[in-house]
Amino acid sequence: MSSTASGKNGTWRNWGGNVSARPAREVTPASVDELAAAVRRAAEDGLKVKAVGSGHSFTSIAATDGVLIRPQLLTGIRDIDREAMTVTVESGTPLKRLNVALAREGLSLTNMGDIMEQTVSGATSTGTHGTGRDSASIAAQIKGLELVTADGSVLTCSEKENPEVFAAARIGLGALGIVTAITFAVEPVFLLTAREEPMPFERVLSDFEELWAENEHFEFYWFPHTGNTNTKRNNRSAGPERPVPQLQSWFEDEFLSNGVFQVANWVGRAVPATIPAIAQISSKALSARTYTDIPYKVFTSPRRVRFVEMEYAVPRAAVVETLRELKTMVDRSGLKVSFPVEVRTAPSDDITLSTASGRDTAYIAVHMFQGTPYQRYFTAAERIFTAHEGRPHWGKVHTRDAEYFSRVYPRFAEFTELRDRLDPDRRFQNDYLRRVLGA
């Protein structure tokens, strides 16, 4: 089932249900040539063009009243190069299909996010990431890109070919062209041992540097209204494979993390006063567990409870202070927050508009259950994040604009100059890009 919701009368909606658009027409190209022709035809008709993946962004980054390109026919693996250890895939390939196909070939990405519903181009264009001490976002694993630019020509780029486009287009926000294929670095499939365990919030904060330094992939969830967190440490393992038993996996990942959590959120939405008590129970529902499996089965998990999310990247050195301020704000505000706050890290990378561009980074994500008013919470959280020069995730709720980004991204002008060159008529513009990149 596609996770893009399409409403009646040609209305497109995103997964979170907070963005909708009514494109003039939808095109589902079956080849790069067809896509290029659709872009040229849109130009003749004076229409803007946007490609949309699975609709997992919470911003209107893919919304358009022009031509909406759906990439579901541009899927599958084009090429596996075992000498270079790369795989080239069509842009509409869902991450879950890529992960399964790679595992069949004995290969894996080095790192990934915790949701794999998105298409490879949607995930990378918005800077989707997991957590890692040494390994970075999905986009940072890109070795080459093919994109259709505003004049309908096909451009390929890598570190050697069109390197200035490559530096920016790996996280291109859909502003530089429509990505049609991506070449990823891969490695022989490996095993990860995951250790999940509850830990007091104060202990996680006091030991944060140690937990980060001692683990290849460290993350934790803090439950507002409690002093409790669930921590997760993923490290490479020599084996043997010890997956979570199927019944336990269903009970913990489906019944508790999705089913019971969904019901708890319904109750919390109907009667907000119950949320702190529910949070105490939720934060203790999952007991410690350790398991060993191939990467995508450890990094990713099903997310069936729908939510709206804001996530900011702050300098890693500022994460503990930022979290303390966030906790103080929630405690004093009278807000009732039923969703945990997720904390992850990434090393500095060299992608122009990556949230980790040029700095070691920690990510703090705040969520609200779908249909719950989130503005007050997100506004208060955003005030804290921006005080630490936070950079919002391009696909998640935020209120920042080009003026702000030009201050927190040292190479911002590099990106906008490239956009002027590749898309002078703003064929790929929409309201969101006008706001975040300037007119």
Side-chain angles (χ1 to χ4, degrees):
M1 190 190 91
S2 160
S3 53
T4 310
S6 247
K8 296 183 191 73
N9 330 324
T11 302
W12 170 84
R13 285 185 201 290
N14 69 337
W15 181 86
N18 64 320
V19 177
S20 61
R22 293 196 63 175
R25 61 174 179 250
E26 290 191 18
V27 182
T28 310
S31 67
V32 177
D33 288 345
E34 280 183 26
L35 198 158
V39 171
R40 286 194 293 269
R41 200 181 136 212
E44 285 161 21
D45 297 343
L47 293 170
K48 304 289 188 195
V49 186
K50 287 313 306 169
V52 65
S54 63
H56 258 267
S57 287
F58 300 99
T59 57
S60 52
I61 190 164
T64 185
D65 54 7
V67 178
L68 192 69
I69 305 268
R70 292 189 171 269
Q72 60 257 42
L73 300 181
L74 298 172
T75 63
I77 292 180
R78 267 193 203 179
D79 176 54
I80 294 174
D81 183 338
R82 288 186 187 271
E83 221 154 89
M85 284 307 275
T86 60
V87 58
T88 301
V89 285
E90 305 270 335
S91 61
T93 309
L95 285 168
K96 58 182 171 195
R97 279 185 50 198
L98 173 64
N99 288 334
V100 170
L102 287 177
R104 256 204 316 267
E105 298 284 346
L107 301 168
S108 177
L109 292 170
T110 300
N111 198 354
M112 56 193 80
D114 56 10
I115 297 179
M116 53 174 181
E117 303 301 317
Q118 312 100 312
T119 59
V120 292
S121 57
T124 53
S125 296
T126 53
T128 297
H129 61 90
T131 189
R133 180 188 61 203
D134 315 300
S135 53
S137 71
I138 307 177
Q141 298 166 65
I142 294 177
K143 291 289 172 203
L145 277 177
E146 174 186 270
L147 65 162
V148 170
T149 55
D151 62 3
S153 56
V154 181
L155 186 72
T156 52
C157 60
S158 64
E159 278 173 2
K160 293 193 176 69
E161 194 181 359
N162 296 307
E164 72 296 342
V165 178
F166 184 66
R170 283 172 287 169
I171 298 180
L173 318 185
L176 305 175
I178 294 177
V179 176
T180 48
I182 301 176
T183 301
F184 290 105
V186 290
E187 56 177 306
V189 74
F190 52 94
L191 292 174
L192 284 171
T193 292
R195 193 168 139 208
E196 298 175 7
E197 64 174 325
M199 199 180 282
F201 183 69
E202 280 307 321
R203 196 189 136 199
V204 175
L205 294 197
S206 61
D207 296 354
F208 185 81
E209 272 306 300
E210 232 164 289
L211 288 161
W212 169 80
E214 287 171 8
N215 296 284
E216 291 169 62
H217 309 273
F218 173 67
E219 65 185 301
F220 71 93
Y221 294 85
W222 163 58
F223 293 80
H225 316 297
T226 79
N228 308 329
T229 77
N230 276 336
T231 62
K232 185 172 180 181
R233 289 171 258 198
N234 299 331
N235 289 288
R236 294 201 182 209
S237 161
E241 216 166 300
R242 283 206 183 92
V244 181
Q246 224 167 345
L247 183 62
Q248 185 190 347
S249 168
W250 174 83
F251 180 70
E252 292 170 345
D253 299 330
E254 286 296 343
F255 182 67
L256 289 179
S257 299
N258 285 298
V260 174
F261 189 53
Q262 173 86 40
V263 174
N265 272 282
W266 280 334
V267 173
R269 185 167 68 187
V271 191
T274 59
I275 286 174
I278 292 171
Q280 287 292 346
I281 299 163
S282 297
S283 69
K284 295 189 172 88
L286 296 169
S287 46
R289 62 178 185 175
T290 301
Y291 52 97
T292 302
D293 215 327
I294 61 172
Y296 82 85
K297 294 185 178 177
V298 174
F299 284 132
T300 68
S301 49
R303 290 270 186 278
R304 305 195 203 288
V305 181
R306 303 222 172 190
F307 52 83
V308 178
E309 180 180 1
M310 166 182 281
E311 181 187 69
Y312 265 76
V314 297
R316 203 186 73 238
V319 68
V320 170
E321 191 189 332
T322 309
L323 285 164
R324 283 196 196 287
E325 291 168 13
L326 191 66
K327 184 175 191 304
T328 303
M329 179 276 288
V330 171
D331 290 347
R332 287 184 187 157
S333 64
L335 285 163
K336 301 286 184 274
V337 181
S338 64
F339 246 86
V341 172
E342 183 181 24
V343 181
R344 296 176 287 174
T345 68
S348 164
D349 68 38
D350 64 349
I351 303 169
T352 318
L353 290 188
S354 162
T355 44
S357 184
R359 73 184 189 196
D360 288 340
T361 293
Y363 293 99
I364 303 173
V366 296
H367 310 71
M368 271 295 212
F369 184 47
Q370 189 179 36
T372 312
Y374 59 84
Q375 283 80 358
R376 230 184 100 209
Y377 177 38
F378 284 11
T379 301
E382 191 172 41
R383 205 170 290 140
I384 293 167
F385 299 147
T386 53
H388 292 281
E389 298 201 329
R391 299 167 177 171
H393 187 301
W394 296 108
K396 296 176 188 175
V397 176
H398 68 88
T399 65
R400 302 295 90 190
D401 59 15
E403 195 263 331
Y404 178 83
F405 291 125
S406 66
R407 293 203 306 273
V408 296
Y409 283 101
R411 297 165 62 193
F412 187 74
E414 211 178 290
F415 189 96
T416 54
E417 280 159 23
L418 181 66
R419 180 186 181 218
D420 289 342
R421 201 181 91 209
L422 291 178
D423 187 12
D425 300 329
R426 300 289 185 263
R427 184 65 45 220
F428 303 117
Q429 173 116 295
N430 62 5
D431 292 342
Y432 179 77
L433 292 183
R434 189 178 293 111
R435 184 183 107 210
V436 302
L437 297 176

